[in-house]
Amino acid sequence: MTTPPDAAERFPSLVVIRHPLVQHKLTILRDRRTQTKIFKELVDEIAMLMAYEATADLPLDNLAVDTPLEQTMGKQVSGKKLTLVPILRAGLGMVEGILRLVPSARVGHIGLYRDHDTLEPVDYYFKVPSDAAERDFFVLDPMLATGGSAVSAVASLKRAGATRIRFLCLVAAPEGVRRLSAAHPDVTIYCASLDRELNAQGYILPGLGDAGDRLFGTR
Ligand code: PRP
Ligand code: URA
């Protein structure tokens, strides 16, 4: 199951991955009683399942392979050109699950946190492979709320030369999808759920709370 028709109409660059396993795990993730260990495992598993869908159109190379009987031509993902870029901290929870599918992907990092008063992102770290123009980037962050962090992360990647960028999150607010797709219409946004709205403090409703705090047991 993919994007519901009303969301697809409002947000052409949004893909909602509604696979039953993803929805099942997301429900447990949202539950306030879910503790850090299980929360971390679920973020990892959902990221892996979403990556399976979000990589469906990855470029392939031809590869000759010797079976026990003869040589044939096979395909292989141009995995070395794939780069995962978690937004610190919460995006880190999505990396290992995706690397299990694409072990040769490179991993960059973007350090951003959202100022509690202004809700605007504050930059503190940026490191991606130097040949950014030749790579396919997946920016990872469980939460797309106001969209400030995502817009800033994508802009930093573009300044570094990246041209092929996708954004993978678990829960998105309409406000964030609107802001990210207005600023970067070329970026496909994948989420497991398009939630209702943001509250006055910039939290997604119904959401799952503070993803970074729940992942790392801080608060
Ligand atoms: C959270 C989340 C996103 C950001 C989303 O991070 O992981 O990065 O907020 O909000 P936005 O769309 O309104 O920018 P946070 O700033 O809490 O930092 P953390 O990951 O270090 O907890
Ligand atoms: N960041 C989070 O971790 N959760 C929200 O609901 C919004 C921003």
Side-chain angles (χ1 to χ4, degrees):
M1 284 211 292
T2 53
T3 318
D6 57 322
E9 211 170 285
R10 283 160 70 203
F11 303 116
S13 55
L14 180 70
V15 177
V16 186
I17 296 174
R18 296 191 297 159
H19 189 287
L21 291 173
V22 170
Q23 298 308 308
H24 176 92
K25 290 173 192 293
L26 180 63
T27 302
I28 306 171
L29 198 67
R30 289 188 193 275
D31 191 328
R32 62 187 306 160
R33 296 168 302 182
T34 300
Q35 299 294 312
T36 298
K37 177 177 181 292
I38 304 293
F39 192 92
K40 204 183 258 170
E41 287 169 8
L42 287 166
V43 169
D44 175 275
E45 289 169 7
I46 296 170
M48 183 176 70
L49 292 167
M50 290 182 70
Y52 178 76
E53 300 276 349
T55 51
D57 61 346
L58 274 188
L60 293 168
D61 293 331
N62 292 319
L63 179 75
V65 59
D66 294 316
T67 78
L69 301 172
E70 63 178 30
Q71 188 174 80
T72 185
M73 287 307 289
K75 302 275 183 192
Q76 74 171 1
V77 171
S78 307
K80 287 201 175 64
K81 294 286 176 218
L82 194 73
T83 306
L84 311 179
V85 185
I87 298 181
L88 307 178
R89 328 168 263 173
L92 288 173
M94 300 171 70
V95 173
E96 289 305 318
I98 302 177
L99 280 179
R100 280 204 296 282
L101 292 184
V102 199
S104 56
R106 303 294 159 86
V107 182
H109 294 88
I110 294 182
L112 285 177
Y113 69 87
R114 199 168 72 148
D115 182 278
H116 277 289
D117 298 321
T118 65
L119 299 184
E120 285 304 313
V122 181
D123 246 299
Y124 62 86
Y125 188 73
F126 182 85
K127 182 77 183 177
V128 299
S130 54
D131 55 348
E134 294 155 36
R135 296 184 162 272
D136 286 281
F137 285 91
F138 278 80
V139 178
L140 311 176
D141 194 325
M143 311 305 279
L144 177 61
T146 66
S149 304
V151 168
S152 166
V154 171
S156 300
L157 278 178
K158 287 184 175 175
R159 277 196 299 277
T163 56
R164 297 189 303 277
I165 304 171
R166 307 173 200 214
F167 187 85
L168 199 61
C169 62
L170 305 192
V171 179
E175 293 88 335
V177 177
R178 201 170 294 119
R179 185 165 167 187
L180 179 55
S181 44
H184 301 291
D186 54 310
V187 172
T188 302
I189 304 165
Y190 299 89
C191 69
S193 174
L194 178 63
D195 274 15
R196 192 176 70 246
E197 60 184 347
L198 293 180
N199 71 8
Q201 290 72 44
Y203 278 89
I204 300 175
L205 298 175
L208 49 76
D210 187 307
D213 282 345
R214 295 194 68 187
L215 262 172
F216 295 107
T218 48
R219 233 182 120 70

PDB file of all heavy atoms in Angstrom, residues 7 10-11 14 16 30 170-175 177 191-196:
ATOM      1  N   ALA A   7      -3.383  12.559  -0.046  1.00  0.00           N
ATOM      2  CA  ALA A   7      -2.034  13.052   0.265  1.00  0.00           C
ATOM      3  C   ALA A   7      -1.226  13.206  -1.014  1.00  0.00           C
ATOM      4  O   ALA A   7      -0.460  14.169  -1.172  1.00  0.00           O
ATOM      5  CB  ALA A   7      -1.335  12.098   1.219  1.00  0.00           C
ATOM      6  N   ARG A  10      -2.158  16.472  -2.589  1.00  0.00           N
ATOM      7  CA  ARG A  10      -1.655  17.671  -1.891  1.00  0.00           C
ATOM      8  C   ARG A  10      -0.144  17.781  -1.993  1.00  0.00           C
ATOM      9  O   ARG A  10       0.402  18.882  -2.038  1.00  0.00           O
ATOM     10  CB  ARG A  10      -2.030  17.606  -0.406  1.00  0.00           C
ATOM     11  CG  ARG A  10      -3.484  17.953  -0.132  1.00  0.00           C
ATOM     12  CD  ARG A  10      -3.902  17.414   1.230  1.00  0.00           C
ATOM     13  NE  ARG A  10      -3.302  18.104   2.347  1.00  0.00           N
ATOM     14  CZ  ARG A  10      -3.157  17.568   3.572  1.00  0.00           C
ATOM     15  NH1 ARG A  10      -3.542  16.343   3.797  1.00  0.00           N
ATOM     16  NH2 ARG A  10      -2.640  18.268   4.553  1.00  0.00           N
ATOM     17  N   PHE A  11       0.539  16.632  -1.958  1.00  0.00           N
ATOM     18  CA  PHE A  11       2.003  16.647  -1.892  1.00  0.00           C
ATOM     19  C   PHE A  11       2.586  15.700  -2.937  1.00  0.00           C
ATOM     20  O   PHE A  11       2.867  14.526  -2.645  1.00  0.00           O
ATOM     21  CB  PHE A  11       2.468  16.217  -0.496  1.00  0.00           C
ATOM     22  CG  PHE A  11       1.919  17.052   0.624  1.00  0.00           C
ATOM     23  CD1 PHE A  11       1.080  16.495   1.573  1.00  0.00           C
ATOM     24  CD2 PHE A  11       2.231  18.403   0.725  1.00  0.00           C
ATOM     25  CE1 PHE A  11       0.572  17.253   2.613  1.00  0.00           C
ATOM     26  CE2 PHE A  11       1.729  19.176   1.763  1.00  0.00           C
ATOM     27  CZ  PHE A  11       0.899  18.602   2.703  1.00  0.00           C
ATOM     28  N   LEU A  14       5.613  13.482  -2.091  1.00  0.00           N
ATOM     29  CA  LEU A  14       5.550  12.631  -0.900  1.00  0.00           C
ATOM     30  C   LEU A  14       5.171  11.195  -1.262  1.00  0.00           C
ATOM     31  O   LEU A  14       4.238  10.962  -2.030  1.00  0.00           O
ATOM     32  CB  LEU A  14       4.500  13.185   0.071  1.00  0.00           C
ATOM     33  CG  LEU A  14       4.308  12.393   1.372  1.00  0.00           C
ATOM     34  CD1 LEU A  14       5.531  12.542   2.281  1.00  0.00           C
ATOM     35  CD2 LEU A  14       3.049  12.859   2.110  1.00  0.00           C
ATOM     36  N   VAL A  16       4.078   7.833   0.869  1.00  0.00           N
ATOM     37  CA  VAL A  16       3.773   7.253   2.186  1.00  0.00           C
ATOM     38  C   VAL A  16       3.874   5.737   2.051  1.00  0.00           C
ATOM     39  O   VAL A  16       3.150   5.138   1.252  1.00  0.00           O
ATOM     40  CB  VAL A  16       2.366   7.662   2.678  1.00  0.00           C
ATOM     41  CG1 VAL A  16       2.148   7.156   4.102  1.00  0.00           C
ATOM     42  CG2 VAL A  16       2.174   9.169   2.622  1.00  0.00           C
ATOM     43  N   ARG A  30       4.721   4.412  18.549  1.00  0.00           N
ATOM     44  CA  ARG A  30       3.992   5.578  19.059  1.00  0.00           C
ATOM     45  C   ARG A  30       3.602   5.423  20.530  1.00  0.00           C
ATOM     46  O   ARG A  30       3.469   6.403  21.244  1.00  0.00           O
ATOM     47  CB  ARG A  30       2.682   5.752  18.264  1.00  0.00           C
ATOM     48  CG  ARG A  30       2.834   6.222  16.831  1.00  0.00           C
ATOM     49  CD  ARG A  30       1.435   6.511  16.313  1.00  0.00           C
ATOM     50  NE  ARG A  30       1.325   6.691  14.881  1.00  0.00           N
ATOM     51  CZ  ARG A  30       1.530   7.837  14.249  1.00  0.00           C
ATOM     52  NH1 ARG A  30       1.922   8.902  14.914  1.00  0.00           N
ATOM     53  NH2 ARG A  30       1.344   7.916  12.934  1.00  0.00           N
ATOM     54  N   LEU A 170      10.117   8.791   9.475  1.00  0.00           N
ATOM     55  CA  LEU A 170       9.067   7.866   9.901  1.00  0.00           C
ATOM     56  C   LEU A 170       7.733   8.598   9.966  1.00  0.00           C
ATOM     57  O   LEU A 170       6.725   8.140   9.441  1.00  0.00           O
ATOM     58  CB  LEU A 170       9.396   7.245  11.264  1.00  0.00           C
ATOM     59  CG  LEU A 170      10.749   6.537  11.398  1.00  0.00           C
ATOM     60  CD1 LEU A 170      10.798   5.731  12.683  1.00  0.00           C
ATOM     61  CD2 LEU A 170      11.030   5.647  10.217  1.00  0.00           C
ATOM     62  N   VAL A 171       7.715   9.736  10.649  1.00  0.00           N
ATOM     63  CA  VAL A 171       6.476  10.481  10.836  1.00  0.00           C
ATOM     64  C   VAL A 171       6.663  11.897  10.296  1.00  0.00           C
ATOM     65  O   VAL A 171       7.635  12.570  10.644  1.00  0.00           O
ATOM     66  CB  VAL A 171       6.102  10.539  12.340  1.00  0.00           C
ATOM     67  CG1 VAL A 171       4.818  11.331  12.538  1.00  0.00           C
ATOM     68  CG2 VAL A 171       5.952   9.134  12.904  1.00  0.00           C
ATOM     69  N   ALA A 172       5.716  12.323   9.464  1.00  0.00           N
ATOM     70  CA  ALA A 172       5.799  13.666   8.872  1.00  0.00           C
ATOM     71  C   ALA A 172       4.552  14.462   9.245  1.00  0.00           C
ATOM     72  O   ALA A 172       3.446  13.917   9.314  1.00  0.00           O
ATOM     73  CB  ALA A 172       5.911  13.558   7.352  1.00  0.00           C
ATOM     74  N   ALA A 173       4.743  15.750   9.473  1.00  0.00           N
ATOM     75  CA  ALA A 173       3.613  16.663   9.655  1.00  0.00           C
ATOM     76  C   ALA A 173       3.361  17.358   8.312  1.00  0.00           C
ATOM     77  O   ALA A 173       4.317  17.634   7.577  1.00  0.00           O
ATOM     78  CB  ALA A 173       3.951  17.703  10.712  1.00  0.00           C
ATOM     79  N   PRO A 174       2.099  17.680   8.016  1.00  0.00           N
ATOM     80  CA  PRO A 174       1.814  18.374   6.751  1.00  0.00           C
ATOM     81  C   PRO A 174       2.620  19.664   6.614  1.00  0.00           C
ATOM     82  O   PRO A 174       3.105  19.991   5.532  1.00  0.00           O
ATOM     83  CB  PRO A 174       0.308  18.674   6.837  1.00  0.00           C
ATOM     84  CG  PRO A 174      -0.226  17.691   7.835  1.00  0.00           C
ATOM     85  CD  PRO A 174       0.886  17.381   8.789  1.00  0.00           C
ATOM     86  N   GLU A 175       2.810  20.363   7.758  1.00  0.00           N
ATOM     87  CA  GLU A 175       3.566  21.622   7.725  1.00  0.00           C
ATOM     88  C   GLU A 175       4.994  21.394   7.224  1.00  0.00           C
ATOM     89  O   GLU A 175       5.535  22.192   6.461  1.00  0.00           O
ATOM     90  CB  GLU A 175       3.626  22.238   9.137  1.00  0.00           C
ATOM     91  CG  GLU A 175       2.296  22.713   9.686  1.00  0.00           C
ATOM     92  CD  GLU A 175       1.512  21.608  10.447  1.00  0.00           C
ATOM     93  OE1 GLU A 175       1.733  20.412  10.174  1.00  0.00           O
ATOM     94  OE2 GLU A 175       0.676  21.978  11.283  1.00  0.00           O
ATOM     95  N   VAL A 177       6.128  18.759   5.417  1.00  0.00           N
ATOM     96  CA  VAL A 177       6.155  18.305   4.014  1.00  0.00           C
ATOM     97  C   VAL A 177       5.988  19.519   3.099  1.00  0.00           C
ATOM     98  O   VAL A 177       6.690  19.653   2.081  1.00  0.00           O
ATOM     99  CB  VAL A 177       5.034  17.269   3.752  1.00  0.00           C
ATOM    100  CG1 VAL A 177       5.033  16.856   2.287  1.00  0.00           C
ATOM    101  CG2 VAL A 177       5.207  16.051   4.649  1.00  0.00           C
ATOM    102  N   CYS A 191       7.764   8.729   3.935  1.00  0.00           N
ATOM    103  CA  CYS A 191       7.420   8.627   5.353  1.00  0.00           C
ATOM    104  C   CYS A 191       6.550   7.393   5.560  1.00  0.00           C
ATOM    105  O   CYS A 191       6.011   6.822   4.598  1.00  0.00           O
ATOM    106  CB  CYS A 191       6.711   9.884   5.854  1.00  0.00           C
ATOM    107  SG  CYS A 191       5.044  10.114   5.196  1.00  0.00           S
ATOM    108  N   ALA A 192       6.425   6.979   6.828  1.00  0.00           N
ATOM    109  CA  ALA A 192       5.532   5.855   7.145  1.00  0.00           C
ATOM    110  C   ALA A 192       4.147   6.373   7.493  1.00  0.00           C
ATOM    111  O   ALA A 192       3.172   5.635   7.411  1.00  0.00           O
ATOM    112  CB  ALA A 192       6.108   5.045   8.303  1.00  0.00           C
ATOM    113  N   SER A 193       4.080   7.644   7.925  1.00  0.00           N
ATOM    114  CA  SER A 193       2.774   8.228   8.240  1.00  0.00           C
ATOM    115  C   SER A 193       2.801   9.735   8.040  1.00  0.00           C
ATOM    116  O   SER A 193       3.749  10.403   8.465  1.00  0.00           O
ATOM    117  CB  SER A 193       2.406   7.931   9.699  1.00  0.00           C
ATOM    118  OG  SER A 193       1.206   8.607  10.035  1.00  0.00           O
ATOM    119  N   LEU A 194       1.748  10.233   7.407  1.00  0.00           N
ATOM    120  CA  LEU A 194       1.532  11.684   7.343  1.00  0.00           C
ATOM    121  C   LEU A 194       0.538  11.985   8.460  1.00  0.00           C
ATOM    122  O   LEU A 194      -0.645  11.637   8.361  1.00  0.00           O
ATOM    123  CB  LEU A 194       0.957  12.076   5.976  1.00  0.00           C
ATOM    124  CG  LEU A 194       0.638  13.558   5.785  1.00  0.00           C
ATOM    125  CD1 LEU A 194       1.890  14.422   5.886  1.00  0.00           C
ATOM    126  CD2 LEU A 194      -0.049  13.788   4.440  1.00  0.00           C
ATOM    127  N   ASP A 195       1.050  12.586   9.542  1.00  0.00           N
ATOM    128  CA  ASP A 195       0.204  12.820  10.711  1.00  0.00           C
ATOM    129  C   ASP A 195      -0.655  14.072  10.528  1.00  0.00           C
ATOM    130  O   ASP A 195      -0.622  14.709   9.475  1.00  0.00           O
ATOM    131  CB  ASP A 195       1.068  12.894  11.964  1.00  0.00           C
ATOM    132  CG  ASP A 195       1.327  11.502  12.553  1.00  0.00           C
ATOM    133  OD1 ASP A 195       1.091  10.509  11.841  1.00  0.00           O
ATOM    134  OD2 ASP A 195       1.764  11.411  13.711  1.00  0.00           O
ATOM    135  N   ARG A 196      -1.415  14.412  11.599  1.00  0.00           N
ATOM    136  CA  ARG A 196      -2.438  15.452  11.444  1.00  0.00           C
ATOM    137  C   ARG A 196      -1.875  16.880  11.392  1.00  0.00           C
ATOM    138  O   ARG A 196      -2.178  17.645  10.493  1.00  0.00           O
ATOM    139  CB  ARG A 196      -3.442  15.323  12.602  1.00  0.00           C
ATOM    140  CG  ARG A 196      -4.703  16.124  12.427  1.00  0.00           C
ATOM    141  CD  ARG A 196      -5.670  15.879  13.557  1.00  0.00           C
ATOM    142  NE  ARG A 196      -5.214  16.440  14.828  1.00  0.00           N
ATOM    143  CZ  ARG A 196      -4.874  15.716  15.896  1.00  0.00           C
ATOM    144  NH1 ARG A 196      -4.929  14.402  15.879  1.00  0.00           N
ATOM    145  NH2 ARG A 196      -4.466  16.320  17.004  1.00  0.00           N
TER     146      ARG A 196
END
